[in-house]
Amino acid sequence: MVSTAERLAKKQKEISVSEFFEKNRHILGFDSLSKSLIMGVKEATDNSLDACEEAGVLPEVYVGIDRTGKEDFRVTILDNGPGIVKKNLPNVFGRLLYGSRFHSLRQSRGQQGIGISATVMYGQMTTGRPAIGASKIEGSDTGWSMEISVDTKRNRPNTRNEQAVIWESFIAEQGLTMMWTEYDHGTFISYTTKGRYITGKQSIYEYLRQTAIVNPHARITFVDIENKVTIFERATTEMPPVAKEIKPHPTGIELGVLMSMAKTTKARQLSAFLKQDFSRISDRVANEICETGGLNINKKPQSLSLEEYKSLLDAIDTVKIMAPQTDCLSPIGEALIRKGLRHVLNEMRPDYYAPPVSRSPKVTSGNPFIVEAGIVYGGDLPKDQQVQILRFGNRVPLLYQQGACVITKAIEGINWRQYGLEQRGGRGIPYGPAIIMVHVASTKVPFTSEAKEAIANLEVMRQEVDLALRGCARNLKRHLNKQEKRKKTRVKFEIVQEILPQIAIKSAAILERDVPDISGTITKIMNVIWIDASAERTKKGLRVTVRVFNYTNKKQTFKLHTLFPREALDESIISDHIADVEDDGRITWEIKKLPKTNSVEISFDLKELGASDFDENDIYVSGVNPALVMGADQLPGDWGIKAMDITEVEEEDDDDELDYDENGGTIDDEE
Amino acid sequence: MVSTAERLAKKQKEISVSEFFEKNRHILGFDSLSKSLIMGVKEATDNSLDACEEAGVLPEVYVGIDRTGKEDFRVTILDNGPGIVKKNLPNVFGRLLYGSRFHSLRQSRGQQGIGISATVMYGQMTTGRPAIGASKIEGSDTGWSMEISVDTKRNRPNTRNEQAVIWESFIAEQGLTMMWTEYDHGTFISYTTKGRYITGKQSIYEYLRQTAIVNPHARITFVDIENKVTIFERATTEMPPVAKEIKPHPTGIELGVLMSMAKTTKARQLSAFLKQDFSRISDRVANEICETGGLNINKKPQSLSLEEYKSLLDAIDTVKIMAPQTDCLSPIGEALIRKGLRHVLNEMRPDYYAPPVSRSPKVTSGNPFIVEAGIVYGGDLPKDQQVQILRFGNRVPLLYQQGACVITKAIEGINWRQYGLEQRGGRGIPYGPAIIMVHVASTKVPFTSEAKEAIANLEVMRQEVDLALRGCARNLKRHLNKQEKRKKTRVKFEIVQEILPQIAIKSAAILERDVPDISGTITKIMNVIWIDASAERTKKGLRVTVRVFNYTNKKQTFKLHTLFPREALDESIISDHIADVEDDGRITWEIKKLPKTNSVEISFDLKELGASDFDENDIYVSGVNPALVMGADQLPGDWGIKAMDITEVEEEDDDDELDYDENGGTIDDEE
């Protein structure tokens, strides 16, 4: 008789990783028809942007969707990236867990080598058709095109109809616009899939729009199912800094991982192993670690006992080691966040873009990370709804699971009332005409699931998001305060100027006397230089008017300053008072000997591009006692962008204090 | 010059599935130290229970935890299952995606062949030590023991110190209690791991306690870090029905999957393919499908064109096909749910176990499922807290992600006020002294993640949970109503009996007359037979007292009935009035010619085992006009368990209506 164990033994066998993900596709985000459609676009776009950046090419990404049945679609993505060599093309698109970035410690969008091949697999599962993959690499004469499908039983690609193609003709045959035939290299993927096409907050359009915000160096073309073409133009031609690959940081490493590294290292001595295989370990630190652990620095790393490995680990946790270098990260930066937001959100004509905040790097579980945030306020943004939250991880928009994300948790934990937004009960997502944007960049963004929809709620990360947001929020509050103050001053002015003369007339009539000249009295009451900037939308962009009233007792001479992108200005900036327009956009006017009770008016146009840069609070004065001036602050000493974007410096942790990582280990942030 | 594509090509390579899960361990639930410790116990226990059931063995599971360092533990699990043959032992414990249940369509706890090997991998990563795996199969002379670790680069097991062992001696050497040396076969796994040991709602103790509730046929022994031994005794020796393996149901199948099955089938003709490779396709249905799709039934299944496969799929979706058979499921059943709950929860001395509800099977995406629910109420359960929710998927407790689970969503959607629980605003988790238990059994429980913590919020499943809960809740409400009514009647009695005589005395004194005999008046006012059951805890269990008052105008003769487990009764049941005690626990008393205004009292003891079965509402009468009786209902026609557990029958979907599955396809529930 066969025992149960023997019967079971016959059934025990290996399961291929493709079979696993075929059955558990929800892990990868393919858990509803609308989400499945967007997942493929996301995976392909991420790969395109990663590849372009790796090759130092300004990314051009084409995304096209055709409806081929009620719930059937053809999705096509093309880029101008470095391409994929012919041999690897089938594997990249037709084999799960195959990729180039899994083992490298640095910021990138994709890492696992699953996303795009899972997309191809899902397409073939739901429509029965293989994908078409094609690529041409730089310097090669021809490109290659082939049909690719996943053999799920073996997790290997199957190919058909491999053929050499002339890239220009191949692209032209796909019916794409001529622009695309200009590129000499790139990657093309086209697949059919079951899906549901939706519009709104979780649409492909929104995904690409948000991608454009955090990738201002990319141009993205989207052709939707009605053949409507949307081009998200690039806002800058500046490539993001290349994220460098780093070695693992020793802090927080696990015993088994340390042992496994020691067993396979090429180093012959313990000290060399520590220095060569980890980042941030100098000669001095390596010696200190060995000494602390009571270990001989010349010992073969392979030959330690379990107890000695434990001592080594304890020593690593004890000795002070510099935080990981952060050139493995590629943050967007404050200037480009502002540019990206303006560029994409301008259609909603917001009043104010709060100067963004890019925090200094921190570390969790050995992975450095940077949090960046921006807030957009007012204008046509809806006033009676919750603020819109734009979440990003390594420059990729996160559209799902908002409630589970550390970004949302941090937002909900802030008392937004003190920053001028409505919030019921002082907790939760605030209400008001605002968009809050947060980007987390890391060598390993701690997503809650493989579908990369929400970032885990780690204490240290929530704190950073909190601090970044409070920085922005203070800028917003300052703006709102100034606006309020300006409004009150204006009202006071109007009252004084309208009421006083009327009182004079009335009093004179009652007393049957002549109406007295009270301009001196008004001046006496006011005793200010009143600067009133306002703007009006025109067809071309914005008409800015600055009025200067001298309500003091004497002539006044002083300078006015502001800052606009040079390219937003036209000849209208030239006026009697203009003194200087510099290439970086710094503008100076000189007001000479303005007599008392007199005023001057300066007007100029801003082109659409720069219109969103206008902030009525960004007018500064110099050469006059600032106590006399209402409506403008004194020019800060450090003239320049910083003068305009005065981000209040957060009280940072004292240098002597340590940051605690999630495992309770301490990391000294020595950067 | 090397192009970027060529540079990248060198880095593009396969990633092993172990490396993937090593880096993404949070997918499997290893995302905090406390959870990691419980995950291993869970995976090993699940495997043990699955294996025992497969072998038809009443499960004995031993779980032991030792603390070996501040955050280091040794975890040992032993079972009396069928064992694992020597050749496969390394693979089962040291290789991810290796198992026997991945391809079979039937209810089981584990399926992917990942859990236990991931546990071994996590242990080795965090402590540097291999696991010890051992097993002896039935009928073999020796068992085998070996050290097993995962080679993550290759996803293959490494073994050391393989040795044949005498099972009895091997088990004895592990320091387990003698009981364990009795078993002739079983599987042993012991590993060290980093973890955090906690108590409370997400503890190992709680996990095993809940496991015992839904597996009343298992005996589980737990030895905690302080060497405290807890034994969860089995409540029944009845094995759950063996879940049979079924073939895939055609409804909701995807085009690509259908094509892939057609390409690899052994059948030579389309009709044979449909009949042999799918469940619920008869000759008639196969012909109807082919006819509807315009396909020749004799065509080779491999030779269809894409368009023909599409027609086949459309025809499958059109033709009426019976819902999947449900012998692939192994629900707990109403009787055993009640038993399991009582057995484990009795320490909290709840007042009332609402008769559980086990729904009839439904289908989602081709997978049949059954929802079962129970409610426990009152006693020592905390009154001012949210009710406790016990969630189960395929007899496995779900301790995490309560908020994301379909069970919680269904509970939150019910207006519990109408069933007697507090609920702020009529939505959300109710408050009160109750425990709500829900079990979902399916060939594929749609978990939201691989860590199996929450069940996806599918419409059809939420409805089923809702209906099951409402069924239980109505039973609870009926109990509470009866209790309330009984309380009011008692109060009325007390008033009448105390006040009327006093009024009589007072009136007599005022009128200076004799006090009249008003017992006739009381009888006239009442005109009922009043039955008052109550119970009092004693050392041995429960002392039940039933008082019967005849407040009618004549002698009364009738019968009283109730039901208790036979084993809960002792000789105290014998009294003057006892008429019959049957083996199944049905008890009958005869009250003969009870004169008007007289009463009798019946008392007896219930042993602890049956004490929780007492429900003061479960006293019934017969042989008398029920309109005269207060405090007991008339005995229903169907004497038996059902008479006591009258679960109101839910308005079921009309037979002609269809259930919609999540993909919008329709399934006719013909079961």
Side-chain angles (χ1 to χ4, degrees):
Chain A
M1 204 196 86
V2 181
S3 75
T4 305
E6 281 154 350
R7 187 166 53 76
L8 284 178
K10 289 209 184 79
K11 292 176 143 193
Q12 282 157 353
K13 56 183 171 188
E14 183 172 14
I15 299 145
S16 103
V17 67
S18 333
E19 286 178 305
F20 174 77
F21 281 115
E22 183 181 16
K23 197 160 168 181
N24 295 283
R25 60 182 91 151
H26 58 276
I27 294 181
L28 302 176
F30 294 90
D31 54 359
S32 78
L33 285 179
S34 55
K35 207 160 145 190
S36 298
L37 191 58
I38 212 170
M39 284 306 294
V41 170
K42 179 167 138 59
E43 296 297 342
T45 308
D46 290 357
N47 286 355
S48 290
L49 293 174
D50 273 341
C52 286
E53 284 168 24
E54 197 133 9
V57 175
L58 276 174
E60 293 272 4
V61 181
Y62 170 93
V63 176
I65 314 260
D66 287 313
R67 191 192 282 278
T68 53
K70 187 172 159 255
E71 291 188 330
D72 282 329
F73 298 87
R74 172 163 289 280
V75 181
T76 303
I77 292 106
L78 170 64
D79 67 42
N80 66 335
I84 299 163
V85 301
K86 185 197 166 197
K87 177 169 66 77
N88 290 1
L89 200 56
N91 282 326
V92 168
F93 289 122
R95 181 171 170 184
L96 273 65
L97 288 180
Y98 183 90
S100 60
R101 292 186 200 91
F102 187 79
H103 292 281
S104 57
L105 273 178
R106 61 173 174 140
Q107 178 182 337
S108 63
R109 294 171 184 78
Q111 240 171 356
Q112 322 281 19
I114 290 190
I116 192 64
S117 38
T119 301
V120 168
M121 183 169 79
Y122 182 77
Q124 113 198 12
M125 267 164 65
T126 53
T127 68
R129 288 175 193 273
I132 298 165
S135 190
K136 176 175 179 301
I137 70 171
E138 205 183 348
S140 145
D141 291 336
T142 56
W144 288 90
S145 151
M146 56 189 78
E147 289 179 26
I148 304 172
S149 55
V150 183
D151 177 346
T152 51
K153 290 245 186 310
R154 299 184 305 129
N155 187 32
R156 287 291 181 277
N158 284 333
T159 61
R160 265 195 337 202
N161 296 338
E162 280 189 30
Q163 48 188 317
V165 295
I166 297 165
W167 196 241
E168 197 181 323
S169 322
F170 174 78
I171 296 302
E173 280 160 23
Q174 308 303 319
L176 302 187
T177 52
M178 283 312 292
M179 183 194 88
W180 286 95
T181 62
E182 285 170 29
Y183 294 101
D184 180 37
H185 48 83
T187 301
F188 172 96
I189 175 79
S190 182
Y191 59 91
T192 57
T193 186
K194 201 167 166 182
R196 192 167 292 147
Y197 188 86
I198 57 167
T199 54
K201 280 198 178 168
Q202 297 180 329
S203 62
I204 293 171
Y205 175 87
E206 181 63 19
Y207 176 77
L208 295 175
R209 196 172 85 105
Q210 292 192 21
T211 302
I213 292 176
V214 286
N215 296 279
H217 62 296
R219 173 156 58 201
I220 302 172
T221 305
F222 175 48
V223 181
D224 72 11
I225 54 166
E226 271 139 11
N227 270 315
K228 192 182 152 211
V229 181
T230 308
I231 298 179
F232 298 97
E233 272 295 345
R234 57 174 64 87
T236 177
T237 53
E238 197 184 314
M239 285 292 286
V242 176
K244 293 203 181 104
E245 195 171 333
I246 60 168
K247 287 175 196 153
H249 191 271
T251 304
I253 198 167
E254 277 159 336
L255 181 61
V257 177
L258 176 69
M259 286 170 63
S260 151
M261 284 178 71
K263 297 252 153 87
T264 55
T265 182
K266 284 169 189 157
R268 307 251 190 104
Q269 296 176 322
L270 198 48
S271 61
F273 165 57
L274 292 172
K275 283 186 296 181
Q276 289 165 22
D277 291 13
F278 293 97
S279 63
R280 296 306 204 195
I281 298 198
S282 61
D283 269 321
R284 186 185 60 75
V285 174
N287 288 343
E288 202 182 329
I289 289 173
C290 292
E291 202 176 307
T292 308
L295 300 163
N296 185 336
I297 59 166
N298 296 320
K299 194 150 188 178
K300 274 187 72 178
Q302 294 81 359
S303 70
L304 274 63
S305 70
L306 182 59
E307 287 312 312
E308 286 175 320
Y309 284 121
K310 276 192 188 162
S311 304
L312 182 61
L313 190 69
D314 289 345
I316 285 172
D317 285 344
T318 311
V319 171
K320 199 167 170 175
I321 301 170
M322 277 178 81
Q325 58 269 54
T326 51
D327 50 5
C328 53
L329 299 182
S330 168
I332 306 169
E334 295 172 1
L336 284 179
I337 291 175
R338 199 170 189 169
K339 223 165 186 170
L341 285 170
R342 276 180 174 145
H343 195 61
V344 178
L345 301 179
N346 202 23
E347 64 200 26
M348 284 182 288
R349 306 199 177 290
D351 275 347
Y352 179 63
Y353 293 82
V357 170
S358 188
R359 300 275 309 162
S360 62
K362 293 287 179 299
V363 178
T364 176
S365 290
N367 289 296
F369 71 94
I370 285 178
V371 171
E372 306 182 292
I375 297 180
V376 177
Y377 185 86
D380 294 348
L381 297 176
K383 289 185 177 56
D384 51 354
Q385 295 175 13
Q386 287 192 335
V387 303
Q388 193 187 346
I389 300 172
L390 304 182
R391 298 173 295 129
F392 301 93
N394 284 359
R395 293 175 182 254
V396 176
L398 314 177
L399 299 189
Y400 295 92
Q401 302 262 16
Q402 177 172 295
C405 188
V406 68
I407 292 173
T408 313
K409 305 273 184 202
I411 290 173
E412 289 172 346
I414 292 175
N415 181 352
W416 288 94
R417 291 167 170 181
Q418 60 181 315
Y419 301 117
L421 292 175
E422 274 178 59
Q423 195 180 30
R424 290 163 197 171
R427 284 192 67 82
I429 298 176
Y431 284 69
I435 296 173
I436 296 176
M437 172 269 185
V438 177
H439 176 227
V440 175
S442 175
T443 45
K444 185 172 192 308
V445 178
F447 289 111
T448 57
S449 79
E450 194 43 29
K452 298 186 188 168
E453 296 167 344
I455 302 173
N457 188 10
L458 306 180
E459 179 66 19
V460 52
M461 205 165 269
R462 197 173 64 246
Q463 268 174 22
E464 281 298 301
V465 176
D466 179 275
L467 291 173
L469 284 172
R470 285 179 195 274
C472 287
R474 272 192 297 274
N475 290 333
L476 171 63
K477 183 57 183 169
R478 198 172 306 115
H479 167 85
L480 294 174
N481 281 349
K482 277 190 182 177
Q483 215 173 33
E484 183 65 13
K485 196 170 137 195
R486 185 180 291 273
K487 202 170 135 196
K488 283 185 181 158
T489 313
R490 194 178 282 149
V491 169
K492 184 182 159 196
F493 251 74
E494 281 163 12
I495 291 172
V496 169
Q497 285 187 305
E498 284 178 26
I499 306 294
L500 271 194
Q502 286 184 30
I503 293 176
I505 291 166
K506 202 81 183 175
S507 314
I510 292 168
L511 298 174
E512 295 183 357
R513 297 225 190 149
D514 289 343
V515 178
D517 175 9
I518 56 163
S519 65
T521 314
I522 293 177
T523 305
K524 217 168 196 169
I525 290 173
M526 307 299 291
N527 196 31
V528 291
I529 296 166
W530 164 237
I531 294 164
D532 185 26
S534 62
E536 209 178 317
R537 291 220 162 257
T538 61
K539 272 189 185 166
K540 287 156 61 186
L542 215 60
R543 177 89 187 159
V544 179
T545 304
V546 184
R547 288 184 196 82
V548 182
F549 302 86
N550 179 3
Y551 283 115
T552 65
N553 276 323
K554 54 171 192 167
K555 265 186 227 147
Q556 296 288 356
T557 294
F558 56 92
K559 286 179 179 169
L560 286 179
H561 310 268
T562 192
L563 182 90
F564 287 109
R566 188 67 185 83
E567 61 270 28
L569 301 173
D570 61 18
E571 66 287 346
S572 69
I573 194 70
I574 307 300
S575 73
D576 290 350
H577 301 282
I578 197 81
D580 191 20
V581 180
E582 295 200 30
D583 279 352
D584 62 3
R586 289 185 289 179
I587 304 165
T588 303
W589 292 274
E590 195 159 16
I591 310 294
K592 277 185 200 157
K593 299 186 181 173
L594 179 63
K596 62 178 181 179
T597 75
N598 275 31
S599 69
V600 295
E601 189 174 297
I602 299 165
S603 289
F604 59 94
D605 293 313
L606 285 179
K607 292 183 210 158
E608 189 54 61
L609 174 66
S612 62
D613 276 297
F614 177 72
D615 180 350
E616 59 197 19
N617 297 326
D618 276 353
I619 306 274
Y620 295 83
V621 294
S622 68
V624 64
N625 178 357
L628 282 181
V629 180
M630 292 205 78
D633 286 344
Q634 188 175 24
L635 183 70
D638 174 18
W639 221 140
I641 294 176
K642 278 295 164 196
M644 305 295 153
D645 293 2
I646 321 165
T647 308
E648 202 162 89
V649 177
E650 180 66 22
E651 286 254 324
E652 293 284 350
D653 296 334
D654 193 297
D655 268 357
D656 290 327
E657 271 185 67
L658 295 170
D659 289 329
Y660 286 85
D661 78 348
E662 69 166 323
N663 291 324
T666 56
I667 295 161
D668 195 6
D669 195 342
E670 293 188 3
E671 294 284 292
Chain B
M1 206 196 86
V2 182
S3 76
T4 306
E6 281 155 349
R7 187 164 55 74
L8 284 177
K10 290 211 181 80
K11 292 176 139 191
Q12 280 157 354
K13 56 184 172 189
E14 182 172 14
I15 299 145
S16 103
V17 67
S18 330
E19 287 179 305
F20 174 78
F21 281 116
E22 183 180 17
K23 197 160 168 182
N24 295 283
R25 59 180 93 148
H26 58 277
I27 294 181
L28 303 176
F30 294 91
D31 55 356
S32 77
L33 285 178
S34 55
K35 207 160 145 190
S36 297
L37 191 59
I38 213 171
M39 283 307 294
V41 170
K42 179 167 142 55
E43 296 297 342
T45 309
D46 290 356
N47 286 355
S48 290
L49 294 173
D50 273 341
C52 286
E53 284 168 24
E54 196 132 12
V57 174
L58 277 173
E60 293 273 4
V61 182
Y62 168 93
V63 176
I65 314 258
D66 288 311
R67 190 192 283 279
T68 52
K70 187 172 159 259
E71 293 188 328
D72 282 330
F73 298 87
R74 172 164 289 281
V75 181
T76 302
I77 292 105
L78 170 64
D79 66 44
N80 66 337
I84 300 164
V85 301
K86 185 195 166 199
K87 176 169 68 79
N88 291 2
L89 199 57
N91 282 325
V92 168
F93 289 122
R95 182 170 170 184
L96 274 66
L97 287 181
Y98 183 90
S100 61
R101 292 186 200 92
F102 187 79
H103 293 281
S104 56
L105 273 178
R106 61 172 174 143
Q107 178 182 336
S108 63
R109 294 171 184 79
Q111 243 172 351
Q112 321 281 18
I114 290 190
I116 192 63
S117 38
T119 301
V120 169
M121 182 168 81
Y122 182 77
Q124 117 198 6
M125 266 164 65
T126 53
T127 68
R129 288 175 194 274
I132 298 165
S135 191
K136 177 176 178 301
I137 69 172
E138 205 181 347
S140 147
D141 291 336
T142 56
W144 288 90
S145 150
M146 55 188 80
E147 288 179 25
I148 304 173
S149 55
V150 183
D151 177 346
T152 51
K153 291 245 186 311
R154 301 182 305 129
N155 187 33
R156 286 293 178 280
N158 284 332
T159 61
R160 265 196 336 202
N161 296 336
E162 278 188 33
Q163 47 189 317
V165 295
I166 296 164
W167 196 240
E168 196 181 325
S169 322
F170 174 79
I171 294 303
E173 279 161 24
Q174 309 303 320
L176 301 187
T177 52
M178 282 315 289
M179 180 193 88
W180 286 95
T181 61
E182 286 171 27
Y183 294 101
D184 179 37
H185 48 84
T187 301
F188 171 95
I189 175 79
S190 182
Y191 58 91
T192 57
T193 186
K194 201 168 167 181
R196 191 167 294 147
Y197 188 85
I198 57 167
T199 54
K201 282 199 177 168
Q202 297 180 329
S203 62
I204 293 171
Y205 175 87
E206 181 64 20
Y207 176 78
L208 295 174
R209 197 171 84 106
Q210 293 192 21
T211 301
I213 292 176
V214 286
N215 296 280
H217 61 296
R219 173 155 58 199
I220 302 172
T221 304
F222 175 48
V223 181
D224 73 10
I225 54 167
E226 270 139 13
N227 269 317
K228 192 183 153 209
V229 181
T230 308
I231 297 179
F232 298 98
E233 272 295 348
R234 57 173 65 87
T236 178
T237 54
E238 195 183 313
M239 284 293 285
V242 175
K244 292 204 182 105
E245 195 170 334
I246 60 168
K247 285 176 197 154
H249 191 272
T251 303
I253 198 167
E254 276 159 336
L255 181 61
V257 178
L258 176 69
M259 286 170 63
S260 151
M261 285 176 72
K263 296 252 154 87
T264 54
T265 182
K266 283 170 190 156
R268 306 252 189 107
Q269 296 176 321
L270 199 48
S271 59
F273 165 58
L274 291 172
K275 284 186 294 182
Q276 289 166 20
D277 291 14
F278 292 96
S279 63
R280 297 304 205 197
I281 298 199
S282 62
D283 268 320
R284 184 186 61 76
V285 173
N287 289 344
E288 201 182 330
I289 289 174
C290 291
E291 201 177 305
T292 307
L295 299 163
N296 184 336
I297 59 166
N298 297 319
K299 194 152 188 179
K300 276 188 70 178
Q302 294 80 359
S303 70
L304 273 62
S305 69
L306 181 59
E307 287 313 311
E308 286 174 319
Y309 284 122
K310 275 191 191 163
S311 304
L312 182 61
L313 190 70
D314 289 344
I316 285 173
D317 286 344
T318 310
V319 172
K320 201 167 168 175
I321 301 170
M322 278 179 81
Q325 59 269 57
T326 52
D327 50 4
C328 53
L329 298 183
S330 168
I332 306 168
E334 294 172 2
L336 283 178
I337 291 175
R338 200 169 188 170
K339 222 167 187 169
L341 284 170
R342 276 179 172 144
H343 195 62
V344 177
L345 300 179
N346 202 23
E347 64 199 26
M348 285 182 287
R349 308 200 175 290
D351 274 347
Y352 181 63
Y353 292 81
V357 171
S358 189
R359 299 275 306 161
S360 63
K362 293 287 178 300
V363 178
T364 175
S365 290
N367 289 296
F369 70 94
I370 284 177
V371 171
E372 306 182 292
I375 297 181
V376 176
Y377 184 87
D380 294 348
L381 296 178
K383 288 184 179 57
D384 51 354
Q385 294 175 14
Q386 287 192 335
V387 304
Q388 195 186 345
I389 300 172
L390 304 182
R391 298 174 293 130
F392 300 92
N394 282 2
R395 293 174 184 255
V396 175
L398 312 178
L399 299 189
Y400 296 92
Q401 301 262 19
Q402 177 171 294
C405 189
V406 69
I407 293 173
T408 313
K409 305 274 184 202
I411 291 173
E412 289 171 346
I414 292 174
N415 180 353
W416 288 94
R417 291 168 172 181
Q418 61 181 313
Y419 300 117
L421 292 175
E422 275 179 57
Q423 195 180 31
R424 290 165 196 169
R427 285 193 66 81
I429 298 175
Y431 284 70
I435 296 173
I436 297 177
M437 174 269 186
V438 178
H439 177 226
V440 176
S442 176
T443 45
K444 185 174 192 306
V445 179
F447 290 111
T448 58
S449 78
E450 193 44 30
K452 298 185 188 169
E453 296 166 345
I455 302 172
N457 188 11
L458 305 181
E459 181 65 19
V460 52
M461 205 164 267
R462 198 173 62 248
Q463 269 174 23
E464 280 299 301
V465 177
D466 179 275
L467 291 173
L469 284 171
R470 285 179 195 273
C472 286
R474 272 191 298 273
N475 290 334
L476 171 63
K477 182 57 182 171
R478 198 172 307 115
H479 166 85
L480 294 175
N481 282 348
K482 277 190 181 179
Q483 214 173 33
E484 183 65 13
K485 195 169 137 196
R486 184 180 291 272
K487 202 171 136 197
K488 282 185 182 157
T489 316
R490 193 177 283 149
V491 169
K492 183 181 159 197
F493 250 74
E494 281 163 12
I495 290 172
V496 169
Q497 286 188 304
E498 284 179 25
I499 306 292
L500 270 194
Q502 285 185 32
I503 292 176
I505 292 166
K506 201 81 184 173
S507 314
I510 291 169
L511 299 173
E512 293 183 357
R513 299 229 187 141
D514 288 346
V515 178
D517 176 8
I518 57 165
S519 65
T521 314
I522 291 177
T523 303
K524 217 170 199 171
I525 289 174
M526 307 300 292
N527 196 31
V528 291
I529 296 166
W530 163 237
I531 294 164
D532 184 26
S534 62
E536 208 180 316
R537 291 224 160 255
T538 61
K539 269 188 187 169
K540 287 156 61 187
L542 214 60
R543 178 87 187 161
V544 179
T545 304
V546 183
R547 289 183 196 83
V548 182
F549 303 85
N550 179 4
Y551 284 117
T552 65
N553 278 324
K554 55 171 192 166
K555 268 189 221 139
Q556 297 287 356
T557 294
F558 56 94
K559 285 180 177 167
L560 286 180
H561 311 267
T562 190
L563 182 89
F564 287 110
R566 189 68 186 81
E567 60 270 30
L569 301 172
D570 60 19
E571 67 287 345
S572 68
I573 195 70
I574 309 300
S575 73
D576 290 349
H577 302 283
I578 198 79
D580 191 20
V581 180
E582 296 203 25
D583 278 351
D584 62 2
R586 289 186 287 179
I587 304 165
T588 303
W589 293 273
E590 195 157 18
I591 310 295
K592 279 186 200 152
K593 301 187 181 172
L594 179 63
K596 61 179 182 178
T597 76
N598 274 32
S599 68
V600 296
E601 186 173 298
I602 298 165
S603 289
F604 58 93
D605 292 314
L606 285 180
K607 292 184 210 156
E608 188 55 61
L609 174 65
S612 62
D613 277 296
F614 176 71
D615 180 349
E616 60 197 19
N617 298 326
D618 276 354
I619 306 276
Y620 296 83
V621 295
S622 67
V624 65
N625 177 359
L628 283 179
V629 180
M630 291 210 77
D633 287 344
Q634 189 176 22
L635 184 69
D638 175 19
W639 220 140
I641 293 178
K642 276 297 162 195
M644 306 294 153
D645 293 0
I646 321 165
T647 306
E648 202 161 272
V649 177
E650 180 65 23
E651 285 254 324
E652 293 283 350
D653 296 334
D654 192 295
D655 268 357
D656 291 327
E657 270 185 69
L658 295 169
D659 288 330
Y660 287 84
D661 78 349
E662 68 167 323
N663 292 324
T666 57
I667 295 161
D668 196 8
D669 196 342
E670 293 186 4
E671 294 284 291

